[in-house]
Amino acid sequence: MALSRLIARPLLASYFLANGAQDLKDAPALAQQAAPVTEAVAPVLDNATPESVSVPRDPVLWVRASGALQVAAGLALATGRLPRLSAAVLGATLVPSTAARYRFWETTDKDQRREQLTHFVKNAALAGGLLIASLDTAGKPGVAWRAKHATHDARREAALVGAKVKARVH
């Protein structure tokens, strides 16, 4: 593993470990901030899931679930276990938590607005880091690339074998 990945993954994960632990600890207080987002997201998920699946409406549950996902995926990313998947999961939790906590567009106080905007932009930067981490193949081609090239190589090999057989026949 490259030294940069060995250092970068735990550094990137550290925010989510701390944030996830805070979400678990302070879920009832944070639920007030999360309520507008959960009220918007729950109906969309209701429409996207089968009727047998019950989408929870309790913002405390959503905050705790997000916190638990951040801790679990943060640990996975920090230790290099399923780094691409864990980075994608962290990115998925970052979007709603950012929308819930840093609603700078609703704040009228200039100082609060600047602080909220700073955190919003910080989370956007974290999202960029997570995007890079979720697409990082550690210098090895991804599954799609390998499948495409395996097909190409198999066709080329089949053509060579066919040409050898044809040459022997003639």
Side-chain angles (χ1 to χ4, degrees):
M1 176 187 306
L3 183 60
S4 60
R5 285 182 188 88
L6 189 65
I7 295 168
R9 287 178 181 160
L11 286 174
L12 184 56
S14 66
Y15 169 82
F16 296 97
L17 291 168
N19 192 65
Q22 181 183 355
D23 284 0
L24 289 169
K25 180 179 158 255
D26 300 333
L30 294 170
Q32 291 176 340
Q33 293 174 326
V37 175
T38 59
E39 289 170 7
V41 170
V44 173
L45 290 176
D46 263 339
N47 291 335
T49 57
E51 286 188 33
S52 61
V53 176
S54 176
V55 176
R57 302 272 192 220
D58 180 16
V60 174
L61 179 62
W62 282 89
V63 171
R64 285 188 177 135
S66 176
L69 281 171
Q70 286 187 1
V71 169
L75 285 170
L77 183 62
T79 59
R81 306 255 195 262
L82 300 171
R84 294 175 70 191
L85 177 62
S86 58
V89 168
L90 291 171
T93 66
L94 187 61
V95 173
S97 68
T98 300
R101 285 190 180 170
Y102 306 120
R103 304 168 71 84
F104 67 91
W105 56 90
E106 293 177 353
T107 305
T108 55
D109 180 76
K110 188 177 179 180
D111 291 335
Q112 275 188 331
R113 184 182 188 97
R114 183 180 22 236
E115 185 179 336
Q116 293 289 319
L117 181 59
T118 298
H119 286 294
F120 186 90
V121 171
K122 172 210 41 154
N123 279 14
L126 284 169
L130 290 169
L131 180 61
I132 290 170
S134 69
L135 299 173
D136 178 29
T137 60
K140 299 173 189 163
V143 173
W145 187 91
R146 288 184 292 195
K148 177 182 174 186
H149 283 77
T151 302
H152 174 74
D153 293 346
R155 286 182 182 150
R156 186 180 66 211
E157 190 66 31
L160 289 173
V161 169
K164 286 180 183 178
V165 169
K166 192 175 185 180
R168 286 184 188 165
V169 171
H170 290 353

